[in-house]
Amino acid sequence: MKKPSLILTVLLMTFTMASAQENKEIINTTCGPVSGIIQEGTMAWLGIPYAKVERFMPPQPVKKWKSVRKCDKWGPMTMQQQSRPMTEEQMSENCCVLNVWTTDVKAKKPVMFWLHGGGFDSGTSEWDPGMCLAKKDVVVVSINHRLNILGFLDLSTCGKKYKYSGNVGMLDAVQALEWVRDNIAKFGGDPNNVTIFGESGGGGKVGTLMCMPKAKGLFHKAIIMSGTILNVNTKTMTEELGEAVLKELGINKKNVDKIKNVSYKDLYAAGQRAMAASIGTRRPGTPMMWGFGPTPDGEVLLQQPFQPAFAKISDDIPLMIGTTFNELQRSRYSQKISFEQARAELQRTFGDETDAYISAFCDAYVNNNCEELLVGRQSVFPTDLLCIDWLFRPKTLITTDAIGGKRKADTYVYMYTVNEGNKGSAHGAELKYCFDVLHHYTNQLSAKTLEANKRWATTMSDVWAKFAHDGNPNSAGLPDWHPYTQENGEMMEFGGKEPTIHHNHDRRLEEIINRHCFKQLDEFNKKQQK
């Protein structure tokens, strides 16, 4: 999740860009002709409708238009909780729109299909514009789709009409992929070479699409960035939640259609009360999610991703997957923390394995004598002991162990450790590098940091685009990067002086973290087995 101040900054920045010069290239889509704009030298079409929305129903084709539709500004995000008022043009239930960036409509380039973060609850494609990434010889597409209670309220116990209501948010994404299949060639993209990629909740959406039969054949590669928080929804849980929502609203199953007339504000509030009264409310930052999110039903969604792998239907999909060094761990880099203070804090989580945790951390990341650290010598790295990710990397290793070398397609693993001063390498920080828009962040990073990290924007966007071309991320300037197996534990680090390959460098550390930081998940799994 991005901080509100950053969201506002990016929204203002991208709104300004949307006022750029007109793109005179008119494309005749299956729905009608569209015109766009130029963004930083790239042709862009913003806010193209790809589906018609009816509350809790699967997406339907949009009504065709004959005159040229101006696609020169961002379309609406889905309804969500916001701290400031928004117009219907900015936020709406009619939110199924997509954006396209290309430099050559006559080409046949790989397509990179972006799914934004924000969990399955919030967010917008507006956060991550694709005009600079498109200069890497790819066509970039991003989408808005239904989220939270609008995208994932399971009313299937009310009859066949609502059979798919619990997964319509992900069916929107499938509909958008179908639009890409039918239209992207006219924008210079190859519909037979599509890479789906996403970060945080977007990474979870990528994993979910890898378990959806209807999405099979619509994409050919996948990139999951910091996306391995486990969705533990079961059909029983979401059916219970759906019925609890109806109870909160005073609507019985025979009159379920009345729910379509409930205001979004009242609907969302009822959803939160229903979670608290039935399956429980998730605390932000916990290692698993449930509630208003995708649900395995054996038809739309075969299984939840990352548990520990994906559905067999995606065994032929090359995958690049990774995390950042700090992720969502609270940053402490602006504080002066002694080794003794760090160790005392660690004991609250790791108890009698605290020294083993410190030793494993030192083996992975510190070229010092661990025995000296354990007797209390001041370390230059004690803050890292507290700030390293305890959430995504452990489960990413479990997933990659389950699939690496065991599918038809290869798996490549990375970690982002680029230093941004006191910010560390936080959750989502890599996006400006992968999208090659570091120059948009002059008000977020110091001039020194921007200058020092320019090369990482070039390197990482090159790697992401190279993977989209052929499923192999190896590009100029990288050490040889081989597919991951549990035995080789191979991981590319983007950070430090140069890109670096590691082999199982942190396995012992991650095993300790997994034992102590996922007790809530362990308790849930035990209950499910009873």
Side-chain angles (χ1 to χ4, degrees):
M1 289 290 290
K2 296 182 170 129
K3 296 179 180 178
S5 60
L6 180 55
I7 294 173
L8 183 56
T9 298
V10 175
L11 289 179
L12 291 173
M13 177 270 293
T14 49
F15 178 80
T16 300
M17 290 189 298
S19 302
Q21 69 188 86
E22 182 182 359
N23 166 19
K24 296 182 179 179
E25 196 76 47
I26 295 174
I27 304 296
N28 289 306
T29 73
T30 52
C31 300
V34 293
S35 66
I37 58 174
I38 300 293
Q39 288 186 328
E40 298 190 35
T42 300
M43 289 179 281
W45 292 261
L46 306 178
I48 303 175
Y50 68 84
K52 178 184 176 182
V53 171
E54 180 184 347
R55 191 181 273 191
F56 308 127
M57 295 291 110
Q60 297 297 317
V62 299
K63 186 177 180 180
K64 294 183 179 181
W65 58 85
K66 293 182 179 179
S67 58
V68 177
R69 186 185 187 104
K70 285 188 176 182
C71 294
D72 58 354
K73 59 184 177 181
W74 299 105
M77 67 180 77
T78 192
M79 300 296 293
Q80 55 195 273
Q81 296 296 96
Q82 285 291 324
S83 59
R84 60 190 179 96
M86 286 195 166
T87 67
E88 193 169 348
E89 287 187 343
Q90 295 173 309
M91 187 170 71
S92 170
E93 291 197 33
N94 188 26
C95 63
C96 287
V97 295
L98 56 78
N99 317 295
V100 182
W101 292 269
T102 186
T103 59
D104 184 358
V105 297
K106 303 297 183 184
K108 193 176 182 180
K109 299 182 179 187
V111 179
M112 299 190 72
F113 181 95
W114 175 248
L115 293 148
H116 66 74
F120 292 94
D121 182 72
S122 59
T124 171
S125 60
E126 197 169 344
W127 285 346
D128 303 292
M131 63 277 182
C132 296
L133 182 57
K135 294 178 182 178
K136 302 286 183 172
D137 199 31
V138 295
V139 174
V140 180
V141 177
S142 63
I143 72 167
N144 287 353
H145 63 116
R146 286 175 285 181
L147 298 167
N148 55 71
I149 195 168
L150 294 175
F152 304 104
L153 175 59
D154 187 352
L155 297 172
S156 58
T157 62
C158 297
K160 291 183 179 179
K161 180 179 179 180
Y162 291 92
K163 180 179 181 181
Y164 302 113
S165 60
N167 285 313
V168 295
M170 288 307 302
L171 288 173
D172 290 348
V174 173
Q175 185 89 350
L177 284 167
E178 291 176 346
W179 185 97
V180 168
R181 176 196 62 197
D182 297 338
N183 292 283
I184 207 63
K186 296 174 183 177
F187 295 84
D190 182 358
N192 296 311
N193 190 3
V194 177
T195 297
I196 56 174
F197 70 129
E199 186 269 342
S200 191
K205 296 169 194 176
V206 170
T208 302
L209 285 168
M210 293 176 72
C211 302
M212 295 179 68
K214 196 174 181 182
K216 177 68 175 174
L218 297 176
F219 64 92
H220 314 91
K221 304 173 191 68
I223 302 173
I224 296 174
M225 305 160 63
S226 304
T228 48
I229 286 183
L230 304 188
N231 179 354
V232 296
N233 271 347
T234 64
K235 197 73 172 74
T236 299
M237 289 172 65
T238 57
E239 287 177 353
E240 179 184 346
L241 177 57
E243 292 183 349
V245 170
L246 291 178
K247 183 178 179 180
E248 288 292 333
L249 292 171
I251 298 174
N252 62 47
K253 291 184 180 181
K254 292 182 179 179
N255 299 312
V256 65
D257 286 350
K258 287 184 177 180
I259 199 170
K260 295 186 177 182
N261 298 320
V262 176
S263 72
Y264 174 75
K265 181 180 179 181
D266 291 342
L267 183 66
Y268 188 91
Q272 298 307 298
R273 295 194 304 270
M275 284 185 67
S278 57
I279 62 176
T281 302
R282 175 181 179 256
R283 299 191 310 273
T286 52
M288 59 185 190
M289 66 149 290
W290 64 88
F292 298 113
T295 306
D297 61 358
E299 181 181 350
V300 171
L301 181 60
L302 299 180
Q303 66 168 77
Q304 297 288 12
F306 316 120
Q307 301 187 31
F310 308 96
K312 289 290 184 182
I313 58 172
S314 291
D315 273 2
D316 59 345
I317 302 296
L319 174 67
M320 186 163 72
I321 183 170
T323 58
T324 76
F325 184 75
N326 301 109
E327 292 290 2
L328 292 171
Q329 202 78 345
R330 182 165 67 95
S331 177
R332 309 284 292 279
Y333 290 114
S334 61
Q335 304 173 20
K336 290 184 178 180
I337 298 174
S338 70
F339 176 75
E340 290 78 8
Q341 288 172 321
R343 188 177 184 279
E345 285 195 38
L346 290 169
Q347 283 187 310
R348 300 171 195 166
T349 299
F350 297 100
D352 59 7
E353 278 202 285
T354 298
D355 288 348
Y357 170 91
I358 295 170
S359 174
F361 178 90
C362 294
D363 288 346
Y365 294 107
V366 183
N367 295 320
N368 284 320
N369 186 324
C370 251
E371 293 303 318
E372 292 183 20
L373 287 175
L374 292 175
V375 297
R377 183 176 65 82
Q378 177 73 29
S379 167
V380 295
F381 291 104
T383 308
D384 279 334
L385 291 169
L386 300 174
C387 295
I388 190 173
D389 166 41
W390 292 352
L391 192 59
F392 293 92
R393 173 72 176 160
K395 294 307 177 187
T396 297
L397 266 183
I398 290 171
T399 291
T400 52
D401 283 350
I403 64 176
K406 300 168 186 174
R407 304 184 304 143
K408 295 177 184 177
D410 290 332
T411 301
Y412 293 87
V413 179
Y414 74 88
M415 181 183 286
Y416 163 89
T417 65
V418 175
N419 190 336
E420 294 189 349
N422 289 339
K423 297 175 183 292
S425 303
H427 187 65
E430 78 280 26
L431 293 179
K432 53 186 167 293
Y433 299 89
C434 299
F435 278 90
D436 199 17
V437 291
L438 187 62
H439 56 290
H440 292 165
Y441 287 78
T442 55
N443 61 338
Q444 298 287 327
L445 300 173
S446 69
K448 182 179 179 181
T449 298
L450 288 168
E451 184 61 31
N453 291 344
K454 276 182 182 178
R455 63 195 176 100
W456 290 115
T458 299
T459 297
M460 293 182 70
S461 57
D462 282 350
V463 168
W464 263 239
K466 174 63 167 57
F467 183 82
H469 273 262
D470 57 17
N472 185 329
N474 283 280
S475 57
L478 291 185
D480 288 341
W481 186 2
H482 301 103
Y484 180 95
T485 66
Q486 185 172 1
E487 292 71 31
N488 70 22
E490 183 149 329
M491 182 197 83
M492 176 69 75
E493 178 186 357
F494 295 106
K497 293 182 180 179
E498 299 293 341
T500 305
I501 292 291
H502 300 278
H503 294 93
N504 276 320
H505 75 297
D506 63 345
R507 181 170 292 279
R508 185 163 68 98
L509 174 66
E510 298 306 330
E511 288 173 350
I512 294 170
I513 292 171
N514 192 59
R515 281 197 292 273
H516 291 270
C517 297
F518 292 85
K519 292 180 179 179
Q520 183 188 23
L521 178 62
D522 294 339
E523 291 170 3
F524 175 85
N525 288 333
K526 286 179 182 178
K527 289 180 181 178
Q528 294 298 108
Q529 292 169 3
K530 290 181 180 179

